[in-house]
Amino acid sequence: MADEPHTPLRLSLDGSALVENWRNLAALSGPHAACGAAIKADGYGLGACEVVTHLASAGCKDFFAANWQEAHELAPYLVGASLTVLNGILPEDMPFAIASTAKPMLNSPEQVELWRGTGLPCDIMIDSGMNRLGINLDDVPGINWDGLNIDVLSSHLASADEDVVQNSDQLAAFESVFDVVPHKRKSLANSAGIALGSDYAFDLTRPGLAIYGGIPRQQLTGLINPVATIEAQVLQVRSLNAGDKIGYNATRITDRPLRAAVIAIGYADGYLRGYSNAGIFYSNSSALPVLGRVSMDLVILDISGASDLSEGDWVQLPLDLPTLSRQSGLSQYEILTGLGQRYQRNWRN
Ligand SMILES: *Cc1c(COP(=O)(O)O)cnc(C)c1O
């Protein structure tokens, strides 16, 4: 049997930082609200199984996945915790959903009818003004809630990362159904919603992004720290002269002699073209700017600040998401979920 191939691209993942972010979000959710965790899209790209394991041992009891495929993969890790499938149920999902320990978020009158006969637990999503998934306010009075075993009555904020009247409008719309829809618990706030204050916390908050180091509102600065660091290996080092052309389409021409390193990451690893001539890697604390265009599997760096770097050395990129978002034009969510499968994901702590 052959040995495993070497991987020149790693994600170093800090389990303590993940747990600390979640604990800070739980504290900010106030003494009356439990804090859950959105783990959809493979734990926002970091690895949902490890995320669940870390957060469950820290006391997280409510997890949120997108679909039944994710629920299936996570089931073995969720002993003693609840998992909600946010995207709800289609008729084709029913056999699996009924046998599953996860519960659906019911998003429409049709889904309420599909689930009623099962007698099994469910959550309800009300559309309070986003016009994405959820039961329309107008449809709420006409729905027969008998026979449903509703745990969490939920809605989702569209613009919690902005100071806009839509937030309080959605809060009021959500509150308007409390007397009509039977429920055990209420939940409204995502990461940014937690920072809007205690009015938005209710019984259960549902952060995702901020657990993984994202900062959607200034109030979270200082409470949230990066969880992931990209580490890529140097594949080749070269010396360039003034006037040399760099990378596809020569979008960069050197104005002086410099040392350059070619590293094992590219847009196929979620390091997209927006970082061309804009991104910065690090060797210890030396900044190594990206030169020219990002390729599919390769990036060229100016290593003038660390000219002792040689083939096989590693360079780092801490996922400071607000900074990377400004550099690349990507959202903090896209940076995480776009990371892809070529990283060796190494958890420590
Ligand atoms: C993704 C999601 C969340 C988590 O949102 P963040 O902005 O990542 O904190 C919460 N609730 C629902 C319904 C979601 O789809």
Side-chain angles (χ1 to χ4, degrees):
M1 197 180 84
D3 288 327
E4 290 282 300
H6 169 72
T7 309
L9 182 61
R10 309 190 289 225
L11 258 190
S12 171
L13 295 151
D14 183 343
S16 314
L18 180 92
V19 166
E20 172 94 351
N21 288 343
W22 179 79
R23 287 213 170 101
N24 286 338
L25 292 162
L28 201 59
S29 301
H32 307 297
C35 186
I39 52 171
K40 56 204 189 190
D42 198 22
Y44 287 48
L46 301 188
C49 299
E50 287 84 355
V51 168
V52 168
T53 304
H54 278 89
L55 297 182
S57 33
C60 183
K61 291 195 162 34
D62 296 276
F63 293 93
F64 298 87
N67 60 41
W68 295 98
Q69 184 63 41
E70 293 179 349
H72 182 52
E73 282 156 20
L74 289 167
Y77 301 87
L78 282 159
V79 182
S82 109
L83 179 67
T84 299
V85 173
L86 291 168
N87 287 6
I89 40 170
L90 294 166
E92 297 92 317
D93 293 317
M94 286 299 283
F96 185 87
I98 289 169
S100 171
T101 51
K103 57 187 166 161
M105 184 71 88
L106 303 182
N107 292 312
S108 68
E110 290 78 4
Q111 293 182 22
V112 168
E113 281 316 307
L114 263 179
W115 199 250
R116 182 196 312 287
T118 70
L120 295 167
C122 60
D123 292 349
I124 298 287
M125 177 64 68
I126 301 294
D127 190 287
S128 57
M130 184 177 189
N131 286 302
R132 201 176 66 169
L133 289 179
I135 298 170
N136 289 329
L137 289 180
D138 292 348
D139 290 334
V140 169
I143 292 176
N144 171 12
W145 303 101
D146 292 347
L148 285 163
N149 179 1
I150 301 171
D151 180 4
V152 185
L153 174 60
S154 324
S155 190
H156 189 52
L157 297 165
S159 307
D161 56 344
E162 296 181 282
D163 291 313
V164 289
V165 69
Q166 188 181 13
N167 293 323
S168 52
D169 286 350
Q170 285 198 263
L171 178 62
F174 183 43
E175 287 172 338
S176 75
V177 303
F178 288 176
D179 292 339
V180 189
V181 185
H183 59 274
K184 299 191 180 78
R185 302 186 286 169
K186 309 180 219 317
S187 176
L188 178 61
N190 61 349
S191 301
I194 293 172
L196 289 178
S198 54
D199 288 354
Y200 290 79
F202 296 102
D203 303 306
L204 174 66
T205 56
R206 307 187 306 267
L209 181 71
I211 299 174
Y212 309 103
I215 303 187
R217 287 188 69 91
Q218 274 313 314
Q219 292 90 333
L220 298 177
T221 307
L223 295 175
I224 298 299
N225 289 299
V227 170
T229 298
I230 291 174
E231 300 170 340
Q233 220 164 1
V234 174
L235 301 177
Q236 188 176 359
V237 174
R238 57 173 62 248
S239 296
L240 304 181
N241 298 312
D244 280 351
K245 302 181 180 70
I246 302 178
Y248 280 124
N249 305 105
T251 64
R252 188 68 167 268
I253 298 177
T254 53
D255 55 6
R256 60 188 160 85
L258 58 81
R259 296 274 289 163
V262 183
I263 62 169
I265 187 173
Y267 59 75
D269 306 298
Y271 197 74
L272 300 190
R273 258 171 55 149
Y275 294 104
S276 301
N277 287 309
I280 301 175
F281 279 75
Y282 292 88
S283 170
N284 299 312
S285 55
S286 305
L288 313 173
V290 172
L291 294 172
R293 194 161 273 174
V294 172
S295 301
M296 186 185 295
D297 317 303
L298 300 166
V299 165
I300 305 164
L301 301 177
D302 177 352
I303 58 165
S304 303
S307 47
D308 55 336
L309 274 178
S310 54
E311 286 183 23
D313 286 344
W314 293 84
V315 298
Q316 293 86 37
L317 178 61
L319 290 191
D320 170 349
L321 295 168
T323 301
L324 294 181
S325 175
R326 277 192 299 275
Q327 275 175 7
S328 64
L330 298 167
S331 77
Q332 298 181 52
Y333 299 85
E334 291 168 313
I335 293 168
L336 287 171
T337 60
L339 287 168
Q341 291 310 309
R342 290 202 297 199
Y343 297 84
Q344 180 183 311
R345 286 166 166 77
N346 295 332
W347 286 84
R348 61 197 151 82
N349 308 317

